[in-house]
Amino acid sequence: MSIESPVKLTHNEEIKAAIPTLAGTIAATIADESADHFSDDDNQFLKFHGSYQQDDRDLRKTGKKYIMMIRGRIPGGVMTANQWCVFDDLATKYGNNTLRITTRQSIQFHGVVKSGLRPLIKKINESLLSTLAGCGDVNRNVMVAPTPAYTKARDQVFADAYKVAMALAPQTKAYHSIWIDGVQLDNEAPENKNFVDPLYGQTYLPRKFKIGFVIPPVNDMDVFTNCLGFIAIVENDQVIGYNLCAGGGMGRSHGNVQTYPRMADVIGFLTPDKLVDAAKAVLTIHRDFGDRTDRKHARLKYVVAERGVDWTRAEIEKRAGIKFAPAKPCRFTTTADLLGWHKAIDGKWFLGMFVETGRVKNAQKIALREVAEKFPGIEFRLSANQNVILANATDADKTAITTLLNSHGVKTENQARLLHAAAMACPSLPTCGLGLAESERMLPGMINRIEKLCDEVGLTNEEIIIRSTGCPNGCARPYMAELAFVGKAPGRYQVWLGGNASGTRLNRIWKDVIKEAELETELRPVLVRFVKERSAGERFGDWCDRVFLNEQPKANN
């Protein structure tokens, strides 16, 4: 008779079970002025509270300088003008004087030292936003289509998404205790040691969980990259329901074929009254079936991929007490933001502002602060493409805001050339501990070189969606891009080709590694062929997928 070996859980699972409130010893470390950083276990707990402990990798030769990254939880990326002012103040006082817009409609602060961590998070909460669940093994920031141009139904979609975000928030009292009261919980007290979150249970999720809401034909949330996606079906400016999709995700690891990017599968159609029940069902499927022995294999996408769409549909129906109808037809045409001034369906104006690689700094930071102060009725919306939308402007506001921005040298029209406007990058070095190569600091210069190359081969003003990440985890959704650079080592990148403009097709690996210095040598022959062989109006990613990639030997993943 054989005896099966007990399953070996990851260390993260062990510490969550030991301290289910997620309090760790965070408050005690904050109170200890002699400590400049948190323990490894507390670093894992901090993620649930919306913070990562990092160090400035540019300074490692002279010793570690510990810094914190803090990420807001901002459902749908919607902020009041006053909240923008609060975040601007905090970036100046505690951070590196920049606001980093994320690809999930949030804002990150970089360069915060330990002593600034609690006052920063407390001020965010006083502004009626939060950092709880900005990171960690829980549902992250819920994304919502930000552009108010097409249909009044966006208000309903935002309200639905906000309801889901609140319903899926963890309930631990440690967050308030640490960041508002400044009190270390007694981890041995029975009510803390035996705490069980009513939704997440005692050990939360195996890994992170992501949700996005979109309104066709615009796929500005890259909905198929989410664990759970809701595609609004709109008739006569009313949301009649949503197509639910599940099982998407970008993360992978170099050299590990068991990890891969995946697009979510469309499961079926449901009415708005079933949204929260369905969301909880999908989340608890991840909770109960996700892999807690290997964090590289722990995302919901692997559950859906390995158990199948039919199983996933049946399990959601059972848990939510619903019956899916067949998915409604819909079509996506673009993932892009509208830049410049545009009129919304309600007659108000909104301004799409390009933010290069999501980093609000210098003149743009000063100008946006003045807009927030002088136009308190303006709504700030963060896009999943790392841009800012100023919404709800009157005719008079439009004129005055344009004048204000221009006085700081900030353009409202012709803000960026096509390649820059369509690009995204993760921060990577020097702050991210996972970065293998440059990304944010590299990409603008790389795009300048690609622009010059395009001009030389006859592709002036040709839009190509370019994304870069410093590692294979995919934070800037590189595996959906027409052209993507994924860091492998300093100055060396994996290259992926063949995504599309609508965000409905994964790209494929072309080169396992190229040297940054050899970009032109590697890319020029491909672009020359594209010019000669493309069909009328065919995009670069579509041609790569149709012709070029099918001729290439399979790259080593």
Side-chain angles (χ1 to χ4, degrees):
M1 175 175 153
S2 64
I3 300 176
E4 292 186 6
S5 300
V7 173
K8 175 61 177 173
L9 299 177
T10 65
H11 182 67
N12 292 67
E13 296 303 315
E14 293 173 349
I15 64 174
K16 286 186 287 185
I19 308 179
T21 61
L22 310 173
T25 57
I26 294 171
T29 304
I30 290 172
D32 182 358
E33 295 183 1
S34 67
D36 67 346
H37 68 285
F38 297 87
S39 69
D40 289 344
D41 284 356
D42 276 353
N43 187 27
Q44 297 305 315
F45 288 126
L46 275 168
K47 295 176 183 180
F48 292 85
H49 300 262
S51 181
Y52 277 73
Q53 180 168 269
Q54 303 174 330
D55 71 285
D56 189 331
R57 294 175 62 178
D58 286 346
L59 303 177
R60 278 188 178 178
K61 289 183 179 179
T62 58
K64 274 194 173 184
K65 178 188 176 184
Y66 287 100
I67 50 177
M68 309 300 299
M69 181 276 281
I70 298 93
R71 181 184 298 152
R73 187 183 68 178
I74 309 171
V78 173
M79 304 176 72
T80 65
N82 179 66
Q83 288 168 338
W84 181 271
C85 288
V86 170
F87 274 58
D88 182 85
D89 284 341
L90 294 173
T92 302
K93 185 173 182 178
Y94 298 109
N96 63 358
N97 203 29
T98 72
L99 293 163
R100 185 50 155 76
I101 300 171
T102 76
T103 55
R104 294 199 64 79
Q105 296 184 292
S106 186
I107 287 177
Q108 291 182 175
F109 301 90
H110 290 140
V112 180
V113 297
K114 194 202 77 171
S115 61
L117 185 57
R118 181 173 172 249
L120 187 151
I121 292 178
K122 186 176 182 180
K123 283 291 185 183
I124 289 175
N125 280 269
E126 289 173 357
S127 79
L128 304 183
L129 290 172
S130 178
T131 65
L132 176 63
C135 323
D137 300 341
V138 285
N139 176 56
R140 302 286 184 87
N141 198 46
V142 176
M143 301 201 300
V144 188
T147 304
Y150 307 106
T151 172
K152 294 177 181 176
R154 188 207 167 266
D155 291 341
Q156 185 181 344
V157 174
F158 178 78
D160 286 341
Y162 190 85
K163 188 163 46 177
V164 169
M166 294 302 104
L168 271 53
Q171 300 300 308
T172 172
K173 64 181 181 180
Y175 183 81
H176 192 280
S177 177
I178 294 168
W179 308 111
I180 310 303
D181 298 335
V183 175
Q184 174 66 50
L185 288 185
D186 178 1
N187 292 328
E188 296 303 315
E191 68 273 16
N192 296 326
K193 195 172 185 63
N194 300 318
F195 174 74
V196 178
D197 186 277
L199 177 62
Y200 289 95
Q202 194 170 37
T203 53
Y204 299 84
L205 301 179
R207 279 294 303 277
K208 57 190 171 185
F209 189 88
K210 298 180 176 181
I211 299 176
F213 284 72
V214 292
I215 307 172
V218 180
N219 187 17
D220 46 5
M221 297 298 99
D222 263 329
V223 69
F224 297 108
T225 67
N226 285 269
C227 303
L228 172 60
F230 292 106
I231 302 167
I233 305 300
V234 179
E235 293 182 0
N236 300 318
D237 279 339
Q238 293 290 319
V239 178
I240 64 168
Y242 295 87
N243 287 345
L244 182 151
C245 58
M250 292 283 94
R252 49 177 287 276
S253 298
H254 286 314
N256 184 350
V257 295
Q258 301 303 314
T259 65
Y260 45 84
R262 186 179 193 276
M263 283 178 54
D265 294 297
V266 177
I267 305 297
F269 174 84
L270 59 119
T271 51
D273 58 306
K274 302 297 183 183
L275 266 182
V276 171
D277 292 336
K280 287 182 175 180
V282 178
L283 184 143
T284 57
I285 289 171
H286 185 207
R287 180 195 68 193
D288 296 344
F289 293 98
D291 189 346
R292 295 181 183 267
T293 67
D294 179 2
R295 288 183 67 81
K296 293 183 183 299
H297 185 255
R299 294 290 300 277
L300 176 70
K301 64 181 177 181
Y302 299 114
V303 177
V304 177
E306 292 160 15
R307 292 177 178 263
V309 174
D310 291 341
W311 177 90
T312 303
R313 181 184 298 109
E315 192 67 23
I316 298 170
E317 289 179 337
K318 180 175 71 175
R319 290 173 179 240
I322 62 175
K323 185 70 177 176
F324 283 109
K328 302 284 187 183
C330 65
R331 178 171 174 263
F332 291 111
T333 59
T334 182
T335 57
D337 292 338
L338 286 174
L339 299 181
W341 283 108
H342 298 272
K343 185 165 280 192
I345 198 166
D346 64 358
K348 295 286 187 69
W349 292 91
F350 67 95
L351 174 63
M353 292 189 65
F354 171 69
V355 181
E356 188 164 65
T357 61
R359 184 75 63 176
V360 180
K361 59 184 179 180
N362 301 333
Q364 190 176 52
K365 181 174 181 290
I366 294 168
L368 283 172
R369 172 58 181 259
E370 285 194 25
V371 170
E373 289 178 338
K374 295 179 179 179
F375 302 89
I378 293 294
E379 190 171 76
F380 284 66
R381 297 181 183 176
L382 314 174
S383 89
N385 292 308
Q386 301 178 306
N387 297 316
V388 173
I389 293 170
L390 303 179
N392 299 334
T394 64
D395 290 344
D397 291 341
K398 175 178 179 287
T399 301
I401 289 171
T402 299
T403 300
L404 187 159
L405 293 173
N406 290 344
S407 73
H408 289 280
V410 177
K411 297 179 180 179
T412 56
E413 302 297 335
N414 302 314
Q415 300 175 39
R417 291 185 65 182
L418 282 174
L419 291 186
H420 285 273
M424 285 202 297
C426 73
S428 194
L429 302 174
T431 54
C432 180
L434 301 177
L436 304 173
E438 294 283 357
S439 181
E440 177 185 336
R441 297 193 295 194
M442 170 277 295
L443 188 61
M446 181 85 87
I447 290 177
N448 288 338
R449 293 165 63 189
I450 295 172
E451 278 182 335
K452 184 178 179 182
L453 188 56
C454 285
D455 290 342
E456 291 173 3
V457 302
L459 288 171
T460 301
N461 294 325
E462 180 78 22
E463 183 182 73
I464 300 173
I465 297 170
I466 304 172
R467 297 175 181 172
S468 77
T469 55
C471 81
N473 285 307
C475 292
R477 304 190 292 276
Y479 310 115
M480 305 300 290
E482 293 181 283
L483 167 60
F485 301 95
V486 177
K488 290 206 77 176
R492 287 167 168 76
Y493 296 87
Q494 207 172 54
V495 183
W496 295 64
L497 300 174
N500 63 7
S502 60
T504 55
R505 182 178 66 228
L506 287 168
N507 55 21
R508 289 180 273 167
I509 187 170
W510 170 49
K511 295 273 188 175
D512 186 54
V513 63
I514 69 165
K515 296 178 182 178
E516 182 184 348
E518 298 172 355
L519 170 72
E520 288 83 357
T521 301
E522 297 279 4
L523 201 54
R524 181 180 280 107
V526 183
L527 294 174
V528 168
R529 274 197 62 185
F530 170 56
V531 171
K532 293 179 179 178
E533 299 178 12
R534 69 191 296 194
S535 302
E538 187 173 30
R539 292 184 63 106
F540 178 68
D542 294 329
W543 173 79
C544 287
D545 184 70
R546 180 177 66 87
V547 176
F548 182 68
L549 290 170
N550 293 322
E551 301 173 354
Q552 304 303 303
K554 189 173 182 181
N556 176 22
N557 194 16

